[in-house]
């Protein structure tokens, strides 16, 4: 809970039990509650979870202004009960649906961010057009977030508060479509208020930085792994997170927002989608090489989640990659198309426990069968994250404790998953030994 959560809860609680305080203290509390609401609107933004608290403050403002009082004992009891119920509901909403706050877990530096849109002189691939709201024969644009280390001080900022699309609604719409459920679209509106402890376009450290490229999965989004990207940047890396426009859940462009509308079952060629994603990586790095001066583009590592893992694999088959990090990789389409999977040197695989052990009885080819079928002398290792599911490699767990034990994520707590992922990422990217922990377990080849 943040300052406004605690302040408004305490003030409204005091208002509800005003009979136990003096009228002067009640009046000061009411004024302070109104001022706190106004300050919260200005500093943080509108959050629907506060609505019951706003209603309580309005009720007491009206009651004080018009000196209104209930004479009937039953009505007084009923109104008191109703106000307490509103108070409890708001407290539960605030606790179970918090505004995510992303900060550097550890690192030697603060983190700067640069957000750009790369306009390419090429047409959007059919692989993306058929699964999105992209129009055929339109020019391709790629939104990119760049995280980098800095020595300048930073404070939490709301990077998406003024975005043209509400990414909380985008998440809900995607879940409703993909899982045939009916979650109210407003339920995640507060994600617009998410705070990131970064500096916008501050000065980088005076070093030439190694590069890490992040490729999100099907209907993922570059912001979904911001917590891990910030941690890598805080440890001295120039981190490039790409929105694969059309595949991403949503991509904000100057011309409007592009939404993903399909699943892998609706694509004519999943490997073709991965190949187009790999081309996005090439195009992004080519652009940055010509426009950036503090990154070492001869020292590139890559990380991909799910379909993004297939994309980075295809990219590294044609380009030099120092380290490859596969997060719950979706590699079976590649294996089925080519009959094998060519593992490259310094490859690190980390699976969810769901994907590691949940499909042992399946008649279809599983990701673990792909991993265990690898026959190579190259350096590669595999681990799994206990109590986890596929989305424990993105920041969904920060959205709400309610996501535990759902299809969104496993029982592992968000703090434990991001700490383990950060440890794994840093050990892998520096090619240091990875020790097993209470959450991280090695897979025998």
């Amino acid at each position: 809970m943040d300052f406004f959560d605690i302040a408004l809860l305490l003030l409204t609680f005091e208002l509800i039990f005003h009979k136990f305080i003096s009228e002067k203290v009640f009046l000061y509390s009411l004024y302070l509650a109104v001022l706190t609401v106004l300050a919260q609107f200005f500093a943080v933004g509108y959050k629907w979870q506060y609505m019951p608290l706003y209603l309580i403050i309005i009720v007491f403002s009206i009651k004080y202004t018009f000196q209104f009082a209930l004479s009937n004992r039953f009505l007084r009891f009923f109104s008191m009960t109703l106000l307490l119920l509103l108070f409890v509901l708001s407290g539960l909403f605030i606790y179970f649906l918090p505004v995510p706050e992303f900060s550097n877990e550890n690192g030697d530096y603060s983190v700067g961010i640069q957000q750009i849109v790369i306009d390419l002189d090429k047409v959007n691939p059919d692989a993306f057009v058929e699964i999105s709201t992209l129009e055929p024969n339109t020019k391709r644009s790629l939104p990119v977030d760049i995280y980098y280390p800095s020595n300048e001080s930073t404070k939490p900022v709301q990077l998406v508060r003024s975005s043209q699309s509400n990414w909380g609604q985008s998440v809900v719409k995607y879940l409703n479509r993909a899982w045939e459920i009916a979650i109210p679209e407003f339920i995640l509106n507060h994600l617009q208020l998410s705070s990131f402890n970064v500096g916008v376009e501050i000065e980088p450290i005076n070093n030439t930085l190694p590069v890490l490229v992040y490729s999100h999965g099907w209907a993922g989004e570059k912001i979904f792994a911001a917590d891990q990207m910030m941690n890598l940047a805080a440890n001295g890396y120039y981190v490039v997170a790409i929105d694969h426009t059309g595949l991403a859940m949503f991509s904000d462009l100057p011309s409007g927002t592009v939404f993903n509308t399909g699943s892998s079952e609706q694509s004519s060629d999943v490997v073709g989608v991965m190949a187009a994603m790999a081309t996005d990586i090439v195009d992004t790095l080519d652009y940055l090489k010509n426009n950036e001066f503090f990154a070492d583009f001869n020292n590139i590592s890559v990380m991909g989640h799910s379909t993004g893992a297939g994309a980075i694999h295809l990219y590294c088959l044609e380009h030099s990659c120092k380290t490859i990090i596969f997060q719950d990789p979706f590699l079976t389409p590649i294996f089925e198309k080519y009959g094998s999977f060519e593992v490259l040197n310094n490859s690190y695989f980390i699976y969810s426990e769901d994907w590691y052990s949940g499909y042992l009885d399946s008649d279809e080819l599983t990701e673990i069968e792909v991993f265990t079928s690898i026959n190579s002398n190259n350096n590669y290792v595999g681990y799994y994250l206990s109590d986890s599911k596929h989305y424990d490699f993105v920041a969904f767990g920060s959205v709400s404790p309610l996501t535990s034990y759902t299809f969104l994520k496993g029982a592992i707590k968000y703090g434990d998953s991001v700490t383990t992922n950060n440890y794994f990422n840093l050990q892998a990217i520096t090619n240091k030994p990875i020790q097993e922990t209470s959450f991280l377990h090695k897979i025998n080849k």
Side-chain angles (χ1 to χ4, degrees), residues 42-340:
F42 177 78
V44 179
Y46 167 72
K47 182 179 175 185
W48 69 266
Q49 289 90 331
Y50 285 93
M51 286 300 295
L53 300 184
Y54 299 154
L55 182 59
I56 292 172
I57 294 170
I58 290 171
V59 167
F60 280 102
S61 297
I62 294 173
K63 181 178 179 181
Y64 174 78
T65 302
F66 296 100
Q67 294 296 306
F68 178 77
L70 293 173
S71 58
N72 185 283
R73 184 175 180 181
F74 173 76
L75 290 178
R76 289 200 302 270
F77 174 79
F78 177 78
S79 64
M80 181 74 164
T81 302
L82 182 60
L83 291 174
L84 276 174
L85 179 61
L86 290 173
F87 175 83
V88 171
L89 282 175
S90 195
L92 291 174
F93 289 150
I94 290 170
Y95 175 76
F96 284 110
L97 293 168
V99 174
E101 299 178 3
F102 302 111
S103 59
N104 308 325
E105 188 176 75
N106 54 61
D108 298 326
Y109 306 101
S110 58
V111 176
I113 187 169
Q114 182 181 13
Q115 297 181 298
I116 61 175
V117 176
I118 300 173
D119 294 317
L120 302 171
D121 189 21
K122 60 168 56 176
V123 174
N124 281 297
D126 291 340
F128 293 139
V129 171
E130 68 180 5
I131 55 172
S132 72
T133 56
L134 283 169
E135 294 293 331
N137 301 316
T138 52
K139 291 298 180 71
R140 186 142 186 81
S141 296
L142 299 173
V144 178
D145 287 346
I146 300 167
Y147 302 86
Y148 55 88
S150 175
N151 288 318
E152 294 190 23
S153 61
T154 60
K155 61 181 181 180
V157 295
Q158 294 173 319
L159 295 175
V160 296
R161 181 175 176 179
S162 58
S163 297
Q164 57 184 312
S165 65
N166 185 313
W167 70 282
Q169 286 186 3
S170 299
V171 171
V172 173
K173 287 178 180 178
Y174 177 80
L175 295 176
N176 285 345
R177 185 182 75 248
W179 298 89
E180 297 182 351
I181 51 182
I183 304 173
E185 289 186 7
F186 72 86
I187 203 75
L188 297 181
N189 279 0
H190 62 290
L191 295 189
Q192 292 292 94
L193 308 179
S194 298
S195 63
F196 303 79
N197 194 352
V198 297
V200 178
E201 299 194 9
I202 58 178
E203 285 295 316
I205 62 174
N206 189 25
N207 290 340
T208 302
L209 305 172
V211 177
L212 183 282
V213 178
Y214 175 74
S215 179
H216 63 76
W218 200 292
E221 214 276 344
K222 56 182 171 54
I223 205 171
F224 287 173
D227 45 10
Q228 298 174 65
M229 304 300 101
M230 291 169 60
N231 188 65
L232 287 164
N235 283 276
Y237 286 84
Y238 179 91
V239 182
V240 180
I242 306 169
D243 251 5
H244 298 287
T245 307
L247 180 82
M249 187 177 291
F250 59 95
S251 294
D252 283 331
L253 304 175
S255 58
T257 304
V258 176
F259 295 99
N260 175 274
T261 58
S263 65
S264 57
E265 288 77 15
Q266 294 168 285
S267 172
S268 58
D269 182 6
V270 175
V271 177
V273 172
M274 294 177 181
M277 295 168 71
T279 300
D280 284 348
I281 297 173
V282 175
D283 291 335
T284 299
L285 291 175
D286 284 345
Y287 174 89
L288 295 176
K289 288 174 186 177
N290 295 324
N291 292 275
E292 298 291 336
F293 305 100
F294 56 94
D296 181 4
F297 291 102
N298 294 314
N299 183 358
I300 295 175
S301 296
V302 291
M303 180 165 73
H305 174 245
S306 192
T307 314
I312 62 171
H313 173 71
L314 296 178
Y315 170 82
C316 293
L317 288 176
E318 303 292 335
H319 302 83
S320 176
C321 297
K322 180 183 176 183
T323 300
I324 309 170
I325 302 174
F326 297 99
Q327 294 184 319
D328 229 11
F330 183 40
L331 303 174
T332 51
I334 295 175
F335 189 92
E336 290 171 337
K337 183 170 183 175
Y338 298 107
S340 64

